[in-house]
Amino acid sequence: NAGVTQTPKFQVLKTGQSMTLQCAQDMNHEYMSWYRQDPGMGLRLIHYSVGAGITDQGEVPNGYNVSRSTTEDFPLRLLSAAPSQTSVYFCASSSLAVSYNEQFFGPGTRLTVL
Amino acid sequence: GDSVTQMEGPVTLSEEAFLTINCTYTATGYPSLFWYVQYPGEGLQLLLKATKADDKGSNKGFEATYRKETTSFHLEKGSVQVSDSAVYFCALSDRSGYSTLTFGKGTMLLVSP
């Protein structure tokens, strides 16, 4: 199993550009989520999904869109990038059948917006 | 809302020293508690967990006990190694939610030979 994979690993954007961060998991997990990690802020939840066709907002959703058309994939879209979105982005997944909610994380995407 | 507070770092220790990283939480109900570790350039990995009061999670020599009376989940290790240098995150999951984790801000541990 590859676990949770993310692409790209690094990305540089100019202000106003759009892009999609890809996330895929091969563990048949129902739950998937996106976090951003900023220095001194820990990880903050952007959006999450509990299954195909179901998404919801987390703590910091503004400027990001998500969709979940399959169990495996959960892409994160930046519609018009801003310097405040410079961050490291992590995708995570977990099985809702497990009571203690262990989440499995991808390796991250480091995004710089100029 | 739920929150997690952990000690600020960096924590700097010599090899074989005793480690404590404090973590306290605020939550409604009875959350599950976790410690995650992030090695340089990598994603987070689950280090240990506890799902109810007085549970002790342990892994790789690290331990943490779920203390409901003090709302704490402090991470300890008796003898740290250089390879333990990483950022450690305390987190909780409110069981009424859908696997959503609330993280502390992280504590960097630096171990020197």
Side-chain angles (χ1 to χ4, degrees), chain A residues 31 37 40 94 100-101 103, chain B residues 34 36 38 93 98-99 105:
Chain A
Y31 181 90
Q37 182 180 26
S94 68
Y100 54 79
N101 298 338
Q103 294 201 21
Chain B
F34 306 86
Y36 279 83
Q38 183 181 31
S93 175
Y98 287 117
S99 288
K105 294 183 178 181

Side-chain angles (χ1 to χ4, degrees), chain A residues 48-62:
Chain A
Y48 65 96
S49 168
V50 299
I54 306 171
T55 64
D56 206 347
Q57 297 180 353
E59 180 185 355
V60 289
N62 292 343

Side-chain angles (χ1 to χ4, degrees), chain B residues 14-89:
Chain B
S14 298
E15 206 164 25
E16 299 184 2
F18 185 85
L19 168 71
T20 299
I21 300 178
N22 291 337
C23 171
T24 57
Y25 67 90
T26 302
T28 54
Y30 302 95
S32 296
L33 301 175
F34 306 86
W35 277 100
Y36 279 83
V37 59
Q38 183 181 31
Y39 298 103
E42 298 184 11
L44 279 72
Q45 305 172 25
L46 180 66
L47 180 60
L48 54 84
K49 65 182 184 297
T51 58
K52 60 183 187 295
D54 299 325
D55 266 3
K56 177 185 283 189
S58 61
N59 186 26
K60 298 181 181 180
F62 291 89
E63 293 183 341
T65 301
Y66 189 141
R67 301 287 188 198
K68 185 171 180 294
E69 63 276 12
T70 55
T71 62
S72 64
F73 193 54
H74 304 321
L75 182 68
E76 296 181 337
K77 186 175 186 183
S79 176
V80 294
Q81 306 299 313
V82 172
S83 58
D84 293 328
S85 297
V87 180
Y88 293 81
F89 292 92

Side-chain angles (χ1 to χ4, degrees), chain A residues 1-44:
Chain A
N1 286 353
V4 180
T5 57
Q6 292 183 237
T7 56
K9 198 169 179 63
F10 301 95
Q11 183 69 50
V12 178
L13 293 178
K14 295 181 179 178
T15 297
Q17 288 185 314
S18 63
M19 80 159 294
T20 299
L21 279 63
Q22 301 293 342
C23 174
Q25 52 91 10
D26 61 359
M27 296 173 282
N28 202 32
H29 286 167
E30 302 91 345
Y31 181 90
M32 296 185 75
S33 57
W34 278 101
Y35 294 88
R36 59 177 290 172
Q37 182 180 26
D38 302 294
M41 300 291 291
L43 276 79
R44 293 180 291 170

